[in-house]
Amino acid sequence: MGVTQTQSECPAPQSDAGTDPGTDGETTSGPLSLGSVGGHGREQLVGVLAVDGGNSKTDVALLAADGQVLGTARGGGFVPQRVGTEAAVAGLVPLIAAAAAAAGLDLAAGAGPLVTHISACLAGADMPVEERLLQQAIAGHGWARTVVVANDTFALLRSGTDAPRGVAVVCGAGINCVGLLPDGRTARFPALGVLTGDWGGGGGLASEVMFSAVRSEDGRGPHTALASAAAAHFGLPDATAVALAMHFGSVRRERLHELVPVLFATAGTGDRVAVELIERQADEIVRMAVVALRRLDLLDGPADVVLGGGVLAARQPLLLDGVNARLAADAPHAVPRVADLPPVVGAALLGLDHLAATGRGSAPGAQERLRASYPRGRRARPA
């Protein structure tokens, strides 16, 4: 299927349903779209409810239009692919109520919505149709006057840029890449794993460790110290025993990701197979970034490439050096940055972008005030 390039038909997006954003209906999807209409009436707070829903945790932040963070909450993972759209969205209720309470507001009070706008960047929103379904479900709760849902990688992108412009690659449990321009155009991948040509991420790397380790032991592949390292990590005699333990359940399959640090440690000893896996991961990250940059015509001038997710956030020199070298060769104007703010900040910044674009409230210094509310720094650090 390859990369898809979409546009929210900005600067004047039109509704899919043929309606204006002031009436019931939905506009074209995308992180800078007008979104779906939610609750009616006067909101309790002119501001943004930001949601970053990842596979392992969900962060919520309630902020005023001037960027001041008034309340936050954290809960478990957002997994509509497992529990269904409605159940996943219903799981946001206690988090939103907690953030509202921290801000001195009552989610159930009054006839109007809680807040002006919801900016939700969610795992499981891999396709525009999935974004729209989740957007409709959230809008149906009436928590905000307008709702925009985007894939959670867009939150990473916006957290590391001063404007909605650039490319982001997340390499965590899996791997994904998105690009965004201020006019709403996006570049993205289906990100469905091997089915759509993806390689790597923590889950993929860990599987490759086991693949190489077992083949090293039985003679089908080259020798690698990954075999003894994987066995030692789980306290078993060899890598084949690890595979059997996971097959029969004595070692939970969810622990497979623990082999990612083992991979980097083994590569640090110069093991050829381990080094080649990390080099391939660097190559995959840069391939995705360069394709997205090209689709958005960002190769000819400076453009941020924001890097995030657990594998990249670990700042392993072998991986980051490989990414930087390949970007310098293939996209010499690109500016790689490892994000050092939580993605919920990016969701909130997209929400502030929406308020400013629709004339529903913005304030000078709002972005800086929001970034300063989080402890890891005001901007992404160079890679």
Side-chain angles (χ1 to χ4, degrees):
M1 183 171 181
V3 173
T4 58
Q5 182 180 0
T6 63
Q7 183 172 3
S8 298
E9 303 303 328
C10 294
Q14 300 298 315
S15 169
D16 288 343
T19 60
D20 294 326
T23 62
D24 288 325
E26 182 186 324
T27 66
T28 306
S29 65
L32 298 183
S33 70
L34 294 181
S36 296
V37 173
H40 297 277
R42 187 179 184 87
E43 65 268 44
Q44 296 184 53
L45 174 69
V46 176
V48 173
L49 178 66
V51 182
D52 171 53
N55 288 309
S56 60
K57 61 179 174 58
T58 300
D59 281 323
V60 170
L62 186 63
L63 58 145
D66 66 358
Q68 181 181 0
V69 178
L70 304 175
T72 63
R74 172 171 286 187
F78 188 85
V79 286
Q81 64 274 22
R82 296 182 191 172
V83 303
T85 296
E86 295 297 334
V89 171
L92 298 176
V93 174
L95 301 182
I96 295 173
L105 303 173
D106 184 353
L107 182 61
L114 171 68
V115 68
T116 310
H117 180 67
I118 290 177
S119 173
C121 296
L122 305 174
D126 296 309
M127 302 288 187
V129 65
E130 293 169 322
E131 291 176 338
R132 290 194 291 270
L133 290 172
L134 287 163
Q135 188 167 285
Q136 291 170 344
I138 293 174
H141 283 266
W143 295 321
R145 292 175 64 186
T146 54
V147 178
V148 169
V149 167
N151 180 266
D152 56 343
T153 311
F154 285 106
L156 169 67
L157 191 163
R158 190 63 180 87
S159 75
T161 58
D162 291 329
R165 180 183 184 275
V167 165
V169 182
V170 60
C171 188
I175 188 168
N176 197 5
C177 174
V178 299
L180 179 63
L181 291 179
D183 65 6
R185 281 181 291 162
T186 64
R188 56 198 301 172
F189 293 79
L192 302 179
V194 176
L195 287 175
T196 52
D198 307 321
W199 188 91
L205 287 172
S207 294
E208 290 289 340
V209 168
M210 287 301 301
F211 179 89
S212 298
V214 172
R215 289 172 69 90
S216 172
E217 286 179 348
D218 67 18
R220 287 178 292 169
H223 172 77
T224 174
L226 288 170
S228 58
H233 178 78
F234 290 106
L236 292 170
D238 52 38
T240 303
V242 174
L244 292 174
M246 288 186 176
H247 175 72
F248 288 112
S250 57
V251 173
R252 291 183 297 108
R253 189 67 177 261
E254 292 77 10
R255 294 187 61 195
L256 187 64
H257 70 89
E258 296 174 16
L259 291 176
V260 176
V262 173
L263 169 63
F264 281 99
T266 305
T269 68
D271 183 86
R272 179 181 174 184
V273 172
V275 169
E276 287 177 351
L277 288 176
I278 294 171
E279 288 177 343
R280 182 177 178 186
Q281 183 66 89
D283 186 69
E284 290 288 327
I285 290 166
V286 172
R287 284 176 183 270
M288 296 183 94
V290 170
V291 169
L293 289 165
R294 181 180 301 116
R295 291 297 180 98
L296 296 179
D297 297 320
L298 290 175
L299 282 173
D300 295 330
D304 290 325
V305 175
V306 183
L307 307 172
V311 175
L312 283 164
R315 292 180 170 269
Q316 294 283 351
L318 183 59
L319 179 60
L320 285 184
D321 289 349
V323 169
N324 289 336
R326 287 166 173 79
L327 271 178
D330 298 340
H333 299 292
V335 182
R337 302 179 180 277
V338 178
D340 66 351
L341 287 173
V344 70
V345 174
L349 287 167
L350 287 169
L352 292 176
D353 293 337
H354 184 277
L355 293 186
T358 57
R360 293 185 173 181
S362 61
Q367 179 175 177
E368 292 75 14
R369 193 171 294 112
L370 168 61
R371 290 181 184 276
S373 298
Y374 287 81
R376 292 188 62 187
R378 297 168 66 94
R379 59 191 301 143
R381 292 179 288 173

